[in-house]
């Protein structure tokens, strides 16, 4: 009798969480989950954009294999008929359920969130989602605007609610149905916040007094940042409140006060998210399912909050690619709770100062593409095989690798012979690395640099994150045959983490490149 899975995927959440050492945020419920979980402090997305990242980790294939770098193709038609993680669970007897934003909606998931391949019943989308970009933010002029910074009175919202509140309610309902029918389930819950617009119940601002809000530690564009690496944050420029600031293109900067307002509202949106996660996990307890349900918590990518003079995602920096990643596995990350004992009592962020310590923590560099084999193994399913070098014709395989062997190893111990190499997967016998990539249409920032369509991509930035460095090459890319030419390097970046943790000093040009 296998374990259930509750898979929580958050949109645009970088690890600003108490359990990741952030001193400002109030995230007691996620911190409480971490205190019962294995937490990975060096987890990275494969591309800092919603649709490509989600299709990558849901299929267990890298963007060069899904051939999705934008929003405009469905991998089963365009690349290969790859099985997904929920599909694999479904084929192994699980009821698979999707709530909120799990697949990116639209053509990249066949306008159906990949139903019926991935899900047992049609996915649920909150009705309030369609108002996300409406003019619902009251400005200083008393009128309604489509702002970036958008604290709201929920009772005044269409339907008197917000999408993530609806998703939590639906997920709780489904947990109770599953409890009653006693079916094994894989329930994916996709939260929208802190994705822009930063629209959240206004009371969460009270958690973040203005005087506590600072600028990013490095709010300037680094001198040696290649122009191809910079993303000009077009999406936030198009919001009414940012547009009114008339900021110069492409480098800005935004006025200091507005930078602090964005940071304040991002934190407030994270606390609002924490409340939703707290309600969901408390309901898992109520349904008596905490003892036999694996909980995974992660995000599709990060979001820059002014670091390097950048905002939003769309880059290869840690602030855009690094994500929270934690696994609660009853009996593995915790001793089984005594019957009826609560594992996840709801914690109110307004009265509860978080700060619980992760149950176990690994600094190993890991990738989201490894979620599929890791979850399969944790649930006791057969491991999907490793993909051969070319896998377009292979329906079931993964380019990630299970990271379960990191779970019970105390830091500092050497893992002997755990890196199993069968010749088909690329093998890093020493330290694992995380690979991310980002496409660009041109060498200098332009209107479509953040989100170039496939046919406009001319350069691909391939980035490798090891424990002690991030190394990125921006190389010629031909979108007609999906080929990267590493002999034609447009620019490079090299950051040494020990003395440059924020990735501000690119030393690519003052090193010889033979060592990599």
């Amino acid at each position: 009798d296998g374990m259930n899975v509750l898979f929580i995927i958050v949109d645009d959440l970088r690890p600003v969480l108490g359990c990741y050492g952030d001193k400002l945020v109030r995230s007691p419920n996620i911190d409480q989950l971490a205190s019962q979980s294995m937490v990975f402090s060096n987890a990275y997305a494969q591309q800092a954009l919603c649709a490509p990242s989600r299709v990558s980790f849901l299929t267990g294939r890298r963007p060069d294999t899904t051939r999705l770098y934008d929003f405009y193709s469905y991998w089963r038609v365009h690349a290969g008929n790859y099985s997904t993680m929920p599909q694999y669970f479904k084929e192994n007897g699980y009821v698979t359920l999707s709530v909120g934003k799990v697949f990116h909606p639209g053509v990249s998931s066949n306008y159906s969130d990949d139903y019926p391949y991935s899900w047992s019943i049609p996915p649920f989308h909150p009705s309030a989602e369609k108002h996300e970009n409406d003019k619902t933010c009251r400005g200083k002029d008393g009128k309604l605007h489509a702002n970036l910074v958008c604290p709201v009175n929920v009772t005044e919202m269409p339907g008197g609610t917000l999408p993530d509140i609806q998703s939590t309610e639906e997920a709780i309902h489904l947990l109770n149905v599953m409890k009653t029918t006693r079916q094994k389930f894989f329930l994916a819950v996709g939260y929208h916040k802190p994705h822009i617009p930063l629209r959240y119940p206004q009371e969460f601002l009270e958690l973040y007094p203005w005087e506590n809000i600072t600028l990013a530690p490095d709010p300037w564009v680094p001198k040696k940042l290649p122009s191809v690496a910079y993303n000009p944050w077009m999406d936030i420029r198009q919001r009414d409140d940012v547009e009114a600031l008339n900021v110069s293109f492409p480098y800005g900067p935004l006025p200091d006060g507005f930078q602090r307002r964005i940071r304040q509202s991002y934190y407030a949106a994270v606390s609002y998210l924490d409340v939703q996660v707290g309600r969901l996990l408390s309901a898992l307890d109520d349904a008596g399912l905490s003892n036999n349900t694996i909980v995974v918590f992660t995000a599709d990518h990060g979001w820059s909050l002014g670091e390097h003079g950048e905002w939003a995602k769309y880059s290869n920096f840690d602030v855009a690619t690094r994500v929270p990643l934690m696994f609660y596995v009853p009996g593995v990350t915790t001793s089984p709770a005594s019957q009826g004992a609560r594992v996840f009592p709801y914690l109110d962020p307004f009265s509860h100062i978080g700060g619980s310590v992760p149950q176990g923590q690994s600094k190993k560099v890991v990738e989201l593409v490894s979620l599929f084999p890791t979850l399969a193994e944790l649930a006791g399913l057969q491991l999907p095989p490793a993909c051969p070098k070319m896998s377009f014709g292979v329906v079931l395989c993964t380019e990630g690798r299970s990271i379960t062997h990191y779970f019970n190893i105390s830091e500092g111990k050497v893992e002997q012979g755990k890196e199993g190499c069968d010749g088909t997967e690329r093998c890093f016998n020493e330290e694992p690395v995380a690979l991310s990539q980002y496409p660009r249409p041109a060498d200098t920032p332009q209107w479509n640099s953040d989100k170039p369509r496939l046919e406009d991509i001319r350069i691909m930035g391939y980035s490798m994150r090891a424990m002690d460095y991030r190394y990125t090459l921006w190389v010629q890319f031909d979108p007609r045959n999906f080929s990267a030419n590493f002999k034609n390097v447009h620019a490079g970046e090299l950051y040494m983490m020990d003395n440059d943790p924020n990735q501000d000093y690119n030393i690519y040009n003052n090193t010889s490149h033979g060592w990599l």
Side-chain angles (χ1 to χ4, degrees):
D1 201 42
M3 290 262 185
N4 303 309
V5 177
L6 173 59
F7 180 73
I8 303 171
I9 172 74
V10 185
D11 218 350
D12 294 20
L13 175 67
R14 61 191 259 175
V16 292
L17 299 165
C19 52
Y20 277 81
D22 191 285
K23 299 286 183 276
L24 180 64
V25 76
R26 294 277 194 96
S27 55
N29 294 287
I30 298 167
D31 296 346
Q32 176 173 254
L33 173 63
S35 75
Q36 307 289 316
S37 296
M38 184 67 193
V39 175
F40 287 87
S41 52
N42 264 315
Y44 297 89
Q46 275 47 78
Q47 189 182 324
L49 187 62
C50 303
S53 173
R54 288 162 187 265
V55 168
S56 171
F57 69 69
L58 287 164
T59 60
R61 319 273 185 128
R62 299 183 187 281
D64 281 349
T65 307
T66 66
R67 293 187 159 168
L68 182 68
Y69 315 107
D70 57 16
F71 300 92
Y72 306 108
S73 67
Y74 179 42
W75 77 91
R76 292 186 193 272
V77 173
H78 173 77
N81 187 22
Y82 312 145
S83 289
T84 67
M85 171 165 59
Q87 179 181 357
Y88 190 60
F89 276 83
K90 182 166 159 261
E91 288 166 357
N92 278 281
Y94 281 71
V95 176
T96 56
L97 306 160
S98 174
V99 171
K101 184 175 172 183
V102 179
F103 279 99
H104 192 83
V107 65
S108 65
S109 56
N110 204 30
Y111 300 100
S112 66
D113 299 81
D114 198 45
Y115 175 79
Y117 295 100
S118 286
W119 311 108
S120 304
I121 60 172
F124 170 86
H125 284 279
S127 59
E129 202 177 297
K130 60 178 171 291
H131 303 294
E132 269 297 272
N133 294 308
D134 292 359
K135 299 190 173 192
T136 55
C137 326
R138 208 165 283 292
K140 290 203 175 80
D141 56 7
K143 296 197 180 80
L144 292 175
H145 301 273
N147 287 344
L148 170 64
V149 172
C150 187
V152 296
N153 177 342
V154 177
T155 58
E156 291 175 5
M157 291 300 102
T161 188
L162 291 171
D164 288 342
I165 296 171
Q166 290 182 301
S167 292
T168 302
E169 287 164 357
E170 177 67 13
I172 291 171
H173 165 70
L174 289 172
L175 283 177
N176 290 321
V177 171
M178 289 296 108
K179 171 200 170 180
T180 313
T181 59
R182 301 203 162 156
Q183 290 170 288
K184 265 195 318 193
F185 63 85
F186 177 104
L187 169 60
V189 182
Y191 285 114
H192 282 266
K193 293 303 105 175
H195 191 288
I196 68 165
L198 298 170
R199 190 168 79 114
Y200 56 86
Q202 58 201 14
E203 58 270 22
F204 286 94
L205 269 179
E206 295 160 25
L207 295 172
Y208 300 101
W210 184 245
E211 59 273 14
N212 294 353
I213 308 299
T214 60
L215 294 177
D218 52 348
W220 55 83
V221 180
K223 282 194 184 61
K224 293 188 173 173
L225 181 70
S227 57
V228 68
Y230 186 82
N231 71 282
W233 31 282
M234 284 299 288
D235 56 349
I236 76 163
R237 291 171 190 271
Q238 287 153 3
R239 314 296 309 181
D240 293 356
D241 49 353
V242 180
E243 198 170 19
L245 297 169
N246 227 343
V247 181
S248 74
F249 183 89
Y251 294 111
L254 288 171
D256 286 5
F258 199 81
Q259 293 197 35
R260 288 171 65 198
R261 287 195 63 202
I262 298 175
R263 289 171 65 91
Q264 179 188 38
S265 272
Y266 187 89
Y267 274 81
V270 171
S271 291
Y272 160 60
L273 162 78
D274 184 76
V275 165
Q276 305 314 313
V277 172
R279 291 193 172 132
L280 178 60
L281 293 174
S282 173
L284 189 74
D285 264 356
D286 291 341
L289 292 166
S290 308
N291 266 337
N292 63 347
T293 303
I294 294 164
V295 182
V296 189
F297 178 90
T298 190
D300 55 356
H301 45 70
W303 210 79
S304 183
L305 287 165
E307 296 85 0
H308 317 115
E310 294 184 305
W311 299 89
K313 44 236 181 187
Y314 319 124
S315 84
N316 281 320
F317 282 119
D318 278 18
V319 284
T321 54
R322 185 170 167 243
V323 293
L325 177 62
M326 60 189 81
F327 298 85
Y328 162 78
V329 188
V332 175
T333 61
T334 58
S335 48
S338 51
Q339 268 334 98
R342 296 195 72 85
V343 186
F344 303 118
Y346 173 73
L347 303 173
D348 180 353
F350 290 89
S351 55
H352 198 282
I353 316 285
S356 39
V357 185
Q359 167 67 24
Q361 194 156 20
S362 174
K363 294 189 172 68
K364 289 282 186 209
V365 173
V366 297
E367 305 177 288
L368 287 187
V369 75
S370 295
L371 273 171
F372 185 171
T374 302
L375 260 180
E377 186 170 10
L378 289 174
L381 304 182
Q382 194 174 353
L383 264 179
C387 290
K389 200 164 175 58
M390 288 289 280
S391 66
F392 295 105
V394 183
V395 171
L396 177 68
C397 71
T398 170
E399 294 181 285
R401 36 209 288 221
S402 173
I403 58 174
T404 56
H405 58 277
Y406 295 148
F407 275 46
N408 43 15
I409 289 174
S410 51
E411 282 295 312
K413 265 213 209 133
V414 180
E415 293 148 44
Q416 302 292 343
K418 289 273 187 186
E419 301 293 327
C421 273
D422 54 7
T424 56
E425 59 176 330
R426 263 177 308 187
C427 230
F428 305 107
N429 281 335
E430 339 67 58
E431 277 303 300
V433 299
L435 304 177
S436 303
Q437 61 195 95
Y438 212 87
R440 294 280 186 241
D443 284 300
T444 49
Q446 57 187 47
W447 68 275
N448 63 341
S449 289
D450 292 343
K451 297 187 273 196
R453 293 186 74 121
L454 175 62
E455 61 267 25
D456 296 325
I457 298 171
R458 295 294 174 269
I459 303 155
M460 189 69 74
Y462 288 95
S463 195
M464 183 158 92
R465 176 65 156 83
M467 192 77 95
D468 41 7
Y469 62 86
R470 178 175 284 289
Y471 177 58
T472 305
L473 289 177
W474 296 89
V475 303
Q476 179 190 2
F477 186 85
D478 186 340
R480 290 165 306 189
N481 58 6
F482 302 92
S483 64
N485 178 6
F486 280 84
K487 293 195 172 67
N488 185 344
V489 177
H490 288 232
E493 297 169 83
L494 177 60
Y495 306 99
M496 304 310 289
M497 301 308 300
D498 283 348
N499 51 15
D500 182 20
N502 296 329
Q503 304 173 347
D504 293 318
Y505 303 99
N506 176 13
I507 61 166
Y508 177 82
N509 284 340
N510 41 3
T511 49
S512 63
H513 305 288
W515 65 280
L516 272 165

